[in-house]
Short mmCIF file of all heavy atoms in Angstrom, two decimals:
data_model
loop_
_atom_site.label_atom_id
_atom_site.label_comp_id
_atom_site.label_asym_id
_atom_site.label_seq_id
_atom_site.Cartn_x
_atom_site.Cartn_y
_atom_site.Cartn_z
N LEU A 410 53.67 48.04 104.32
CA LEU A 410 53.76 46.78 103.62
C LEU A 410 53.60 45.60 104.59
O LEU A 410 53.13 44.54 104.23
CB LEU A 410 55.14 46.73 102.95
CG LEU A 410 55.79 45.39 102.69
CD1 LEU A 410 55.01 44.64 101.65
CD2 LEU A 410 57.20 45.61 102.22
N PHE A 411 54.00 45.82 105.85
CA PHE A 411 53.94 44.74 106.82
C PHE A 411 52.60 44.67 107.55
O PHE A 411 52.49 43.99 108.55
CB PHE A 411 55.09 44.87 107.82
CG PHE A 411 56.45 44.80 107.17
CD1 PHE A 411 57.26 45.90 107.08
CD2 PHE A 411 56.89 43.60 106.61
CE1 PHE A 411 58.51 45.84 106.47
CE2 PHE A 411 58.13 43.52 105.99
CZ PHE A 411 58.94 44.64 105.92
N SER A 412 51.61 45.40 107.06
CA SER A 412 50.30 45.34 107.70
C SER A 412 49.75 43.92 107.61
O SER A 412 49.77 43.32 106.55
CB SER A 412 49.33 46.29 106.99
OG SER A 412 49.87 47.57 106.94
N GLN A 413 49.25 43.46 108.73
CA GLN A 413 48.73 42.10 108.73
C GLN A 413 47.24 42.09 108.43
O GLN A 413 46.53 43.02 108.78
CB GLN A 413 48.94 41.47 110.12
CG GLN A 413 50.38 41.33 110.47
CD GLN A 413 50.58 40.66 111.81
OE1 GLN A 413 49.70 39.98 112.30
NE2 GLN A 413 51.75 40.85 112.38
N CYS A 414 46.79 41.03 107.82
CA CYS A 414 45.36 40.80 107.70
C CYS A 414 45.17 39.39 107.17
O CYS A 414 46.11 38.76 106.70
CB CYS A 414 44.71 41.82 106.78
SG CYS A 414 45.17 41.65 105.06
N ASP A 415 43.93 38.90 107.28
CA ASP A 415 43.69 37.51 106.91
C ASP A 415 43.32 37.35 105.46
O ASP A 415 43.31 36.25 104.93
CB ASP A 415 42.53 36.95 107.76
CG ASP A 415 42.96 36.80 109.20
OD1 ASP A 415 44.17 36.60 109.42
OD2 ASP A 415 42.10 36.92 110.09
N ASN A 416 42.96 38.45 104.84
CA ASN A 416 42.31 38.29 103.55
C ASN A 416 42.85 39.27 102.52
O ASN A 416 42.09 39.94 101.83
CB ASN A 416 40.81 38.52 103.77
CG ASN A 416 40.00 37.74 102.77
OD1 ASN A 416 40.57 36.98 101.98
ND2 ASN A 416 38.71 37.95 102.78
N LEU A 417 44.18 39.36 102.46
CA LEU A 417 44.78 40.32 101.54
C LEU A 417 44.51 39.87 100.10
O LEU A 417 44.75 38.72 99.75
CB LEU A 417 46.28 40.40 101.81
CG LEU A 417 47.02 41.56 101.14
CD1 LEU A 417 46.45 42.89 101.61
CD2 LEU A 417 48.51 41.50 101.45
N GLY A 418 44.02 40.82 99.28
CA GLY A 418 43.67 40.44 97.92
C GLY A 418 44.45 41.19 96.86
O GLY A 418 44.37 40.87 95.67
N LEU A 419 45.20 42.22 97.27
CA LEU A 419 45.91 43.04 96.28
C LEU A 419 46.89 43.97 96.99
O LEU A 419 46.61 44.48 98.07
CB LEU A 419 44.88 43.89 95.51
CG LEU A 419 45.40 44.95 94.53
CD1 LEU A 419 46.11 44.30 93.34
CD2 LEU A 419 44.25 45.82 94.03
N ILE A 420 48.05 44.16 96.38
CA ILE A 420 48.99 45.18 96.85
C ILE A 420 49.22 46.15 95.69
O ILE A 420 49.40 45.71 94.55
CB ILE A 420 50.35 44.58 97.29
CG1 ILE A 420 50.14 43.53 98.39
CG2 ILE A 420 51.29 45.67 97.79
CD1 ILE A 420 51.42 42.81 98.80
N ILE A 421 49.19 47.46 95.99
CA ILE A 421 49.46 48.46 94.97
C ILE A 421 50.68 49.26 95.41
O ILE A 421 50.77 49.65 96.58
CB ILE A 421 48.26 49.42 94.83
CG1 ILE A 421 47.06 48.67 94.26
CG2 ILE A 421 48.61 50.62 93.95
CD1 ILE A 421 45.78 49.43 94.35
N ILE A 422 51.59 49.49 94.51
CA ILE A 422 52.74 50.34 94.82
C ILE A 422 52.79 51.48 93.82
O ILE A 422 53.14 51.27 92.65
CB ILE A 422 54.06 49.56 94.81
CG1 ILE A 422 53.92 48.39 95.78
CG2 ILE A 422 55.22 50.46 95.19
CD1 ILE A 422 55.21 47.77 96.21
N ASP A 423 52.39 52.66 94.28
CA ASP A 423 52.39 53.80 93.39
C ASP A 423 53.80 54.40 93.33
O ASP A 423 54.52 54.35 94.31
CB ASP A 423 51.39 54.84 93.90
CG ASP A 423 51.17 55.94 92.86
OD1 ASP A 423 51.34 55.66 91.66
OD2 ASP A 423 50.82 57.07 93.25
N GLU A 424 54.16 54.98 92.21
CA GLU A 424 55.50 55.56 92.01
C GLU A 424 56.56 54.54 92.43
O GLU A 424 57.41 54.81 93.28
CB GLU A 424 55.67 56.85 92.82
CG GLU A 424 54.57 57.88 92.68
CD GLU A 424 54.57 58.58 91.32
OE1 GLU A 424 55.44 58.29 90.48
OE2 GLU A 424 53.67 59.39 91.09
N GLU A 425 56.48 53.36 91.83
CA GLU A 425 57.31 52.25 92.28
C GLU A 425 58.80 52.52 92.15
O GLU A 425 59.61 51.85 92.77
CB GLU A 425 56.94 50.96 91.52
CG GLU A 425 57.21 51.00 90.01
CD GLU A 425 58.60 50.54 89.63
OE1 GLU A 425 59.19 49.76 90.37
OE2 GLU A 425 59.09 50.99 88.57
N HIS A 426 59.18 53.53 91.36
CA HIS A 426 60.60 53.83 91.17
C HIS A 426 61.16 54.66 92.33
O HIS A 426 62.35 54.90 92.41
CB HIS A 426 60.77 54.65 89.89
CG HIS A 426 60.15 56.00 90.01
ND1 HIS A 426 58.79 56.20 89.88
CD2 HIS A 426 60.66 57.20 90.32
CE1 HIS A 426 58.52 57.48 90.08
NE2 HIS A 426 59.63 58.11 90.36
N ASP A 427 60.28 55.11 93.22
CA ASP A 427 60.71 56.10 94.22
C ASP A 427 61.70 55.53 95.23
O ASP A 427 61.56 54.42 95.71
CB ASP A 427 59.49 56.64 94.96
CG ASP A 427 59.81 57.91 95.68
OD1 ASP A 427 59.69 58.97 95.07
OD2 ASP A 427 60.21 57.84 96.87
N HIS A 428 62.69 56.36 95.57
CA HIS A 428 63.76 55.88 96.45
C HIS A 428 63.32 55.69 97.88
O HIS A 428 63.97 55.00 98.64
CB HIS A 428 64.94 56.84 96.42
CG HIS A 428 65.35 57.15 95.04
ND1 HIS A 428 65.93 56.21 94.23
CD2 HIS A 428 65.19 58.26 94.29
CE1 HIS A 428 66.13 56.73 93.03
NE2 HIS A 428 65.68 57.97 93.04
N SER A 429 62.21 56.30 98.25
CA SER A 429 61.80 56.16 99.65
C SER A 429 61.31 54.73 99.94
O SER A 429 61.10 54.40 101.09
CB SER A 429 60.76 57.20 100.04
OG SER A 429 59.54 56.96 99.38
N TYR A 430 61.15 53.90 98.93
CA TYR A 430 60.78 52.50 99.20
C TYR A 430 61.96 51.68 99.68
O TYR A 430 61.81 50.56 100.14
CB TYR A 430 60.18 51.84 97.95
CG TYR A 430 58.80 52.36 97.64
CD1 TYR A 430 58.48 52.90 96.41
CD2 TYR A 430 57.81 52.31 98.61
CE1 TYR A 430 57.21 53.38 96.14
CE2 TYR A 430 56.53 52.79 98.36
CZ TYR A 430 56.25 53.32 97.12
OH TYR A 430 54.99 53.79 96.87
#
Side-chain angles (χ1 to χ4, degrees):
L410 153 68
F411 299 110
S412 306
Q413 296 183 20
C414 69
D415 291 331
N416 209 4
L417 193 60
L419 173 67
I420 303 176
I421 293 168
I422 304 198
D423 190 27
E424 310 289 359
E425 64 89 26
H426 67 281
D427 197 88
H428 310 291
S429 68
Y430 288 124

